[in-house]
Amino acid sequence: MNIIGVYREVNNMKIGILGCGRIAQKMGDTLLKLGLNGEAYIASRDIKKAQEFQDKYHFSGAYGSYGEMLDNPEIELIYIATVNSCHYEQAKMCLHKGKHVLLEKPITLRLKEAEELYSLAKEKHLYLSEALWPAYMPSLLVIQTYLKDFFSTITSSYAIFKVNTLYKERVKEKSLGGGALFDLGIYPIAMTLLTCGFDYKKMTIDELVMNENGVDEKESISLEYPNFIAKMDIDATFDRVSYLEIQNENYRLKVSPLECPKTLELYQGETLIKQVDVSPQITGFEYEIMESISQIQKGNIESYSWPREKSLKTLKLMTEIIHF
């Protein structure tokens, strides 16, 4: 399916982005390549940064404050791309201003805050969704099809996401909601839940390494299912490794990288019998935006790919590991 062709059949919607960082730039690039940059606006606390962002992605407007952008009645959907610690207050501000919200992961750092946001969105009949990259991608449907066709039973699951991000300000600072789990860990956890199921029996923390600043550097986690164990390794200090591997007696399915799948490999024993390219057409962010606009236009208030229930269950598990 050509996502760009399909998307252009959907009525355009004016979109605002809060924040000018790396993730916001990825969304800016996505909107530019979708041809929606003319319907988009950027806001930063630094007007110069906002104007540079506007020039780079050819957006319609730039604002030097978030509140100023939210006062624009034409902007309907806000994508929040700021540091973790800001998500709750900024999403609440957007909802009170009558804006639909696509909120970068993690939705919040505390379960109570996320529940409050979802309740507020329901009260105001506004769309709210967590922008968890792989949950929206068509590759997930391909993965689930392979699991249905070849994995009537699962004997083990292993997800690993290691990449050195601890040097980054947003990751190394506890006050910004930093740490390995909330920066990286949400991906292996969510992908494990999306493929193995949300009804695990027990979660065990096998390893948890905290540094002198109270920030988690790495963790190993196990989820106990009725017939198998799903293991996850997360590390913000290591060279990049990222994949999900699910096995039974006859087959092994490897998905890589797990945060933005590009390749599916199916093995029978040690023999590779199928390899599928499931790369996104642009950045993968196009699926989040397309679904958000489609759901809003249908009058729906949550994602069908990553609904409230799954978002909250994932955050609940994460907050059992690390408490902010």
Side-chain angles (χ1 to χ4, degrees), residues 152-157 196 199-201 223-230 247-249:
S152 56
T153 61
I154 294 174
T155 56
S156 69
S157 173
C196 297
D199 296 324
Y200 59 90
K201 294 168 59 179
L223 296 183
E224 181 182 339
Y225 288 87
N227 300 308
F228 67 96
I229 302 293
Q247 297 191 63
N248 64 12
E249 293 85 353

Side-chain angles (χ1 to χ4, degrees), residues 144-201:
Q144 291 170 337
T145 298
Y146 273 74
L147 292 175
K148 181 181 177 182
D149 291 345
F150 295 95
F151 292 81
S152 56
T153 61
I154 294 174
T155 56
S156 69
S157 173
Y158 179 63
I160 181 170
F161 194 12
K162 297 185 177 184
V163 59
N164 185 6
T165 60
L166 200 64
Y167 69 93
K168 297 181 179 181
E169 195 76 11
R170 63 177 173 80
V171 183
K172 71 179 182 181
E173 292 296 333
K174 180 79 170 179
S175 62
L176 299 180
L181 183 69
F182 280 81
D183 184 47
L184 307 175
I186 188 170
Y187 292 116
I189 289 173
M191 285 295 281
T192 297
L193 294 173
L194 283 165
T195 52
C196 297
F198 284 77
D199 296 324
Y200 59 90
K201 294 168 59 179

Side-chain angles (χ1 to χ4, degrees), residues 13-248:
M13 178 178 293
K14 294 193 184 302
I15 301 165
I17 299 180
L18 261 64
C20 292
R22 183 182 62 85
I23 296 299
Q25 292 189 36
K26 189 179 286 286
M27 181 60 79
D29 185 49
T30 304
L31 294 176
L32 176 64
K33 290 175 180 175
L34 276 172
L36 288 180
N37 52 304
E39 302 292 325
Y41 300 79
I42 181 69
S44 170
R45 295 190 183 99
D46 184 335
I47 186 60
K48 184 178 178 182
K49 286 184 179 179
Q51 289 169 341
E52 289 173 352
F53 190 107
Q54 178 189 8
D55 291 344
K56 182 176 181 179
Y57 299 107
H58 308 291
F59 275 24
S60 286
Y63 296 93
S65 78
Y66 301 147
E68 187 181 0
M69 185 172 76
L70 296 180
D71 285 336
N72 183 339
E74 293 187 342
I75 298 174
E76 297 180 66
L77 172 62
I78 301 295
Y79 170 65
I80 298 176
T82 53
V83 295
N84 296 345
S85 57
C86 294
H87 289 183
Y88 166 66
E89 290 294 345
Q90 290 174 348
K92 186 164 67 169
M93 176 175 64
C94 292
L95 292 169
H96 278 301
K97 288 283 190 176
K99 307 299 185 184
H100 303 285
V101 177
L102 177 62
L103 177 55
E104 192 49 61
K105 66 81 188 167
I107 184 165
T108 60
L109 297 171
R110 301 169 184 86
L111 184 61
K112 184 178 179 181
E113 293 174 345
E115 290 172 336
E116 181 186 334
L117 290 180
Y118 279 118
S119 295
L120 180 60
K122 183 177 181 180
E123 174 191 325
K124 293 184 172 293
H125 199 76
L126 292 167
Y127 179 86
L128 171 65
S129 186
E130 182 180 26
L132 181 68
W133 208 2
Y136 297 82
M137 295 175 63
S139 56
L140 182 61
L141 297 178
V142 181
I143 294 166
Q144 291 170 337
T145 298
Y146 273 74
L147 292 175
K148 181 181 177 182
D149 291 345
F150 295 95
F151 292 81
S152 56
T153 61
I154 294 174
T155 56
S156 69
S157 173
Y158 179 63
I160 181 170
F161 194 12
K162 297 185 177 184
V163 59
N164 185 6
T165 60
L166 200 64
Y167 69 93
K168 297 181 179 181
E169 195 76 11
R170 63 177 173 80
V171 183
K172 71 179 182 181
E173 292 296 333
K174 180 79 170 179
S175 62
L176 299 180
L181 183 69
F182 280 81
D183 184 47
L184 307 175
I186 188 170
Y187 292 116
I189 289 173
M191 285 295 281
T192 297
L193 294 173
L194 283 165
T195 52
C196 297
F198 284 77
D199 296 324
Y200 59 90
K201 294 168 59 179
K202 180 183 176 183
M203 184 273 290
T204 302
I205 303 171
D206 301 314
E207 181 183 27
L208 176 58
V209 177
M210 308 288 290
N211 65 20
E212 65 276 9
N213 298 318
V215 172
D216 62 301
E217 295 186 349
K218 62 180 179 178
E219 44 264 314
S220 295
I221 305 154
S222 296
L223 296 183
E224 181 182 339
Y225 288 87
N227 300 308
F228 67 96
I229 302 293
K231 290 185 173 292
M232 288 151 277
D233 282 333
I234 302 141
D235 192 333
T237 68
F238 201 78
D239 293 339
R240 183 180 178 83
V241 184
S242 173
Y243 64 84
L244 168 69
E245 196 167 75
I246 296 175
Q247 297 191 63
N248 64 12

Side-chain angles (χ1 to χ4, degrees), residues 111 115 200 203 310-322:
L111 184 61
E115 290 172 336
Y200 59 90
M203 184 273 290
K310 291 179 179 179
S311 172
L312 290 177
K313 283 185 176 181
T314 303
L315 182 58
K316 181 177 186 295
L317 190 158
M318 292 172 67
T319 56
E320 289 169 358
I321 301 166
I322 297 291

